[in-house]
Amino acid sequence: MTSAVRRLIPASFTPVPSYRPEHVVGFEAVTSFAPGLDAIGIAVGTDGPVDADLGLDRDALTRAGFEGKAGQTLLIPTEAAPLLYAVGAGDPEDLTADAVRDLAATFARAASSSAALGLRLPVTGAVPPERVGQVVAEGALLGRYRYSELKSAPTVTELTRLELLVDEEPSSAVADGLPAGAVTARGAAIARDLANTPPGHLTATDFGELALELAGDFGLEVEVFDRQQLVDLGCGGLLGVNAGSAEEPRMIRLRYVPDEPTGHLAFVGKGIMYDSGGISLKPSDPMHLLMKMDMGGAAAIFGALSSLRDLGCTTMVTAFLMCTDNMPSGSAYKLGDVLTARGGTTVEVKNTDAEGRLVLMDGLVLATEEEPDAVVDIATLTGGALLALGPARAALFASDQGLADAIVAASRSTDEKVWQLPLEAAYRKLLDSDIADLANVGGPYAGATTAALFLREFVGETPWAHLDIAGTMHADADDAWRSKGATGYGARLLAELALRFRR
C-alpha cells in the first residue's frame, strides 16, 4: 500500500471509542466563552437585534456591506485576540437546522487560519437544542475540510476546538448533539478522502487493504475477495469490466451487526476507482479528470458504516463494494461482448462506458442472497441524472414506495437532496438484446431511468432503491458544508437511513 493511502484518514478523524460526549475532544457547549479562542463568530440575522459584543450596530454593519444574509461574514477589527466575525444567519423566521449547519460551515471556512473557534447563536426557534449541537458540529467540520494529503504544507489549519454558545438554551441539551455531528462528519470526511485520492494512490487492491486496516476501528466485519474468488462466485460483470486493467479487482464485503438487530439493510456501492470509459473512451475533458471519483458510491457506503456503531444504530447492515478501474487495452472487454452476472443473467455490452451497472449487478444479486429487508445501491452512474437534476440533487428510483419515502426523509435530515424519478415500465423494452437476456444500455433517452430499470432486474422481489449521485459527487467551489472537491454525498444520508430503518 502507498504511503499516501496509509495516511488517508486524517488524525483529526480518529474514531471515537463510543458515542458519548466526553469522547468528542475539543467540542463543547458553553454558557460563556473561555480564554484562548482564536476567533469568535456571532450570528446576525437580516433583522432583529444585533449582539452588543460585536461593537457595531445594524447601521454600521450595513455600511460595511453586511446585511446578515446567509453565507455572509464580516471580519470586525479588534485591538486584541480573538478575531471577531459577524456571520449571516438570514431571516430569523427561517432559521432551520440546515441553515444552522450552513452558518457553522461558513464561519469555520471564513476563519480557516484559526484552530480554536467560538460560535454564538441566537435563539434557534423550532430547532431542538440537541439538533443544533449536531448540525453545528457537522457544518464546522465539513466546512473546514480540505484534502491536503499530497501537499507539502496544509492549506487549512486543523480545527482543534469549538465552543458553542446558544442563547437561552441549556448547554447540556446542546452538548448532547455534538457527538453525533462529529461522528457523521467523520464518516463524510472519510468518503471525501477516498474519492479525492488520485487513482494511482488508491487502487481497488489498496481500497481492500484499507478496509481491512480500518474496519476493526469501527466495529465492522470485513472480507475482501480477490480475482479468483470473484471467478468462483461467478461475478462476470465485475470481472468483465476489470479485463482491460493491469490492476486486480476487489469486492469488499462489510457487515455491521448490532447486539439486537431491529432490521437488516443491504447496501451496494459502485467502486470504479478510475473510469476511462474503456474501449468507449471518454473525451479528455474536465469530467474525465473527475473520474477518480467514480467510486463515490463505494466511498459513501464505507463512510456511512464507519458511523453506525458510534451512533448506536440497531439496524444490521451488509455492504458490497464493487471495485475495479475501467481501462482500454488489448485485453479489455469489447462492444458486443456478452457478460454473465452472478446468478446467470447474460448481458450484451453495447457501451463499455456503461460499466457501473455491470459491476453493480453482481453486487445486487449477492445482496439479495443475504435476504435483507431492503437493498439500496448508490452510484455515480449516469450523465442523465446530472443533466436532469444538476449538481444539487441525486436521482432516486425505487421499487418500494415505503423505502423511497424513508430515503427522502433521511435526505431532508442531512440536507443531501434527492428527487424521485419514475421507473417507467414502458422503457424496459429498450434494454432487450437479440443475443443475450439484456443489453447494458437502452438508447439515447431517459438514460438514468433505463439504467435503474437495468439494475432492478437483479433484485427480484426484495424492496430496492437506487441513488444516482453522478451530479452530487463533486462541488466546483465551496458551498456551505460542501467543500470544493468530493462532497462525500450519501455517507450521512445512508447512516441516517440505517438509524431510522425498521423492517
Side-chain angles (χ1 to χ4, degrees):
M1 190 187 304
T2 66
S3 59
V5 172
R6 289 191 182 280
R7 297 184 297 108
L8 188 63
I9 309 304
S12 58
F13 290 97
T14 298
V16 297
S18 66
Y19 178 46
R20 295 198 303 271
E22 59 265 35
H23 289 293
V24 185
V25 179
F27 283 75
E28 186 178 1
V30 299
T31 55
S32 62
F33 293 127
L37 295 177
D38 299 317
I40 292 175
I42 298 177
V44 179
T46 52
D47 56 36
V50 174
D51 196 308
D53 288 344
L54 279 173
L56 298 176
D57 60 17
R58 186 167 294 279
D59 287 343
L61 291 171
T62 301
R63 289 196 299 273
F66 179 86
E67 300 172 278
K69 294 180 179 178
Q72 286 188 315
T73 60
L74 177 67
L75 177 59
I76 298 172
T78 57
E79 294 182 356
L83 298 173
L84 186 60
Y85 290 82
V87 186
D91 186 342
E93 300 296 322
D94 296 329
L95 194 62
T96 62
D98 290 346
V100 174
R101 184 191 292 109
D102 289 351
L103 185 155
T106 298
F107 169 54
R109 190 177 290 119
S112 61
S113 61
S114 300
L117 303 181
L119 177 61
R120 183 168 185 172
L121 298 177
V123 176
T124 52
V127 186
E130 180 177 333
R131 181 75 172 141
V132 171
Q134 177 176 350
V135 297
V136 166
E138 287 177 344
L141 289 168
L142 295 177
R144 181 63 70 91
Y145 173 91
R146 280 290 184 272
Y147 181 79
S148 58
E149 289 302 304
L150 300 177
K151 284 185 172 287
S152 300
T155 55
V156 175
T157 302
E158 180 184 343
L159 181 59
T160 60
R161 179 179 166 195
L162 175 66
E163 295 186 7
L164 174 59
L165 193 164
V166 182
D167 292 344
E168 298 182 20
E169 293 287 2
S171 59
S172 59
V174 176
D176 286 343
L178 291 171
V183 168
T184 55
R186 181 191 69 200
I190 289 172
R192 288 178 176 184
D193 277 340
L194 290 166
N196 279 323
T197 299
H201 290 269
L202 186 64
T203 65
T205 301
D206 290 332
F207 197 174
E209 292 180 9
L210 186 69
L212 290 168
E213 183 178 325
L214 294 182
D217 293 338
F218 302 123
L220 303 175
E221 300 172 8
V222 61
E223 187 174 3
V224 177
F225 295 79
D226 63 17
R227 185 198 301 275
Q228 185 55 53
Q229 290 170 302
L230 292 167
V231 171
D232 295 341
L233 287 171
C235 292
L238 182 55
L239 291 164
V241 175
N242 177 255
S245 176
E247 298 285 345
E248 279 212 4
R250 289 292 185 266
M251 182 177 75
I252 304 167
R253 183 172 65 192
L254 298 164
R255 199 184 305 272
Y256 167 73
V257 184
D259 291 337
E260 297 181 4
T262 55
H264 183 193
L265 273 175
F267 294 153
V268 182
K270 175 184 173 183
I272 301 297
M273 312 307 291
Y274 183 78
D275 182 19
S276 71
I279 297 297
S280 304
L281 192 67
K282 293 178 183 290
S284 185
D285 60 15
M287 183 56 71
H288 201 158
L289 179 64
L290 295 180
M291 285 300 98
K292 67 178 182 179
M293 298 182 189
D294 210 20
M295 40 70 70
I301 291 174
F302 192 87
L305 266 69
S306 76
S307 306
L308 298 184
R309 182 195 60 188
D310 294 333
L311 294 173
C313 180
T314 60
T315 301
M316 183 168 79
V317 179
T318 304
F320 295 87
L321 313 185
M322 314 304 290
C323 302
T324 180
D325 47 14
N326 181 27
M327 300 296 289
S329 75
S331 61
Y333 75 131
K334 305 164 186 68
L335 281 73
D337 275 346
V338 173
L339 306 180
T340 303
R342 166 79 175 182
T345 301
T346 56
V347 177
E348 181 185 7
V349 177
K350 291 186 174 180
N351 188 325
T352 65
D353 196 24
E355 84 298 331
R357 65 203 70 183
L358 297 175
V359 303
L360 287 173
M361 67 184 183
D362 293 325
L364 288 169
V365 174
L366 288 164
T368 58
E369 290 173 2
E370 298 281 333
E371 298 185 351
D373 299 308
V375 176
V376 178
D377 74 74
I378 181 169
T380 50
L381 204 64
T382 69
L386 172 61
L387 289 172
L389 300 176
R393 290 182 185 267
L396 168 64
F397 298 87
S399 65
D400 181 272
Q401 193 56 45
L403 179 59
D405 292 343
I407 291 172
V408 170
S411 77
R412 288 173 176 161
S413 178
T414 62
D415 194 29
E416 294 171 293
K417 296 180 175 64
V418 301
W419 192 263
Q420 187 174 359
L421 296 175
L423 278 169
E424 189 62 58
Y427 297 160
R428 167 58 185 83
K429 62 185 178 183
L430 298 175
L431 296 170
D432 288 344
S433 166
D434 292 335
I435 63 170
D437 296 324
L438 287 170
N440 75 325
V441 292
Y445 306 117
T449 299
T450 55
L453 288 167
F454 178 92
L455 297 175
R456 188 181 184 180
E457 294 289 314
F458 298 93
V459 295
E461 299 303 315
T462 305
W464 159 82
H466 161 59
L467 283 165
D468 190 334
I469 62 170
T472 56
M473 70 175 183
H474 173 265
D476 289 326
D478 291 336
D479 175 24
W481 59 266
R482 302 163 192 81
S483 295
K484 184 178 181 180
T487 61
Y489 180 100
R492 290 183 300 118
L493 189 160
L494 293 177
E496 184 70 19
L497 175 65
L499 285 172
R500 294 168 176 244
F501 185 79
R502 295 296 182 270
R503 62 166 59 93

